[in-house]
Amino acid sequence: MIVKVCGVRTPEVAEAALDAGADWIGLMLVPDSSRWVDDDAAMAVVRTVRDRADLIGVFVEPSAAVCDEAASRYRFAAVQVHGNFKRSLITECSVPVIPVFNIGDRAAASTLEWPPDTLVMLDGMPDAGALPGGTGHRVPLNWAADVARHREILLAGGLGPDDVAEAITTVRPAGVDASSRLERRPGDKDPELVRRYVTAARAAAAQLCGAPQ
């Protein structure tokens, strides 16, 4: 089970996520986002994470060249892409691409043309006029479970310490991702909420697998 903390901007928050057992740390490289990291901040997180977890770059409608340049500089294991990106990006990048799909109804969850052999992320629908990216809105768990029965997914959208266990148990995703509900205000993560979320996700995943906690 992959446990991802997205929108990490400081070494303190990265350390909290790592200490609790996070697998992936997401860096937002979209300047219009409140969770954007400039080069200095990104490198500080990279130095903290080192080889303790995978770093994931988060973009909105990037080119393959932009993804590849950032992946090389920040040692990204993969890139996560939002918005109306070209499907060819999935094969053009030098690192794996995780496409994000915003699910607005159950029929869409069943009929979307999913890219083959690719880990995808499911997120809720954004507010009107909002920047493409993490929405903070939940995907109904039964819709997400419909998709997860047929392919590997990362589940995002409004997850936090109090409900990530239910999401894991119901959907059985390949992983979970959280950001907005780990914050005191947009872009300002609370290390304690980060720890609680990662700990709850790890415990739920262990219970699901029948492993000792």
Side-chain angles (χ1 to χ4, degrees), residues 21-38:
D23 302 291
W24 287 3
I25 303 294
L27 293 179
M28 176 67 74
L29 298 181
V30 182
D32 291 337
S33 171
S34 61
R35 301 173 184 99
W36 173 65
V37 285
D38 62 18

Side-chain angles (χ1 to χ4, degrees), residues 135-148:
T135 67
H137 298 316
R138 290 185 66 173
V139 179
L141 298 184
N142 55 339
W143 299 359
D146 287 346
V147 181

Side-chain angles (χ1 to χ4, degrees), residues 84-100:
N84 296 315
F85 56 90
K86 294 180 179 179
R87 292 292 184 98
S88 60
L89 186 72
I90 294 172
T91 56
E92 291 171 353
C93 284
S94 61
V95 295
V97 174
I98 303 165
V100 182

Side-chain angles (χ1 to χ4, degrees), residues 2 4 122-123 135-139 141 154-168 171 173 175-183 193 197 201:
I2 299 162
K4 178 171 175 281
L122 267 59
D123 200 350
T135 67
H137 298 316
R138 290 185 66 173
V139 179
L141 298 184
L154 296 174
L155 180 63
L159 296 177
D162 58 340
D163 60 4
V164 69
E166 177 194 8
I168 289 171
V171 178
V176 289
D177 185 19
S179 184
S180 61
R181 289 197 51 227
L182 310 181
E183 296 178 338
L193 289 176
Y197 154 74

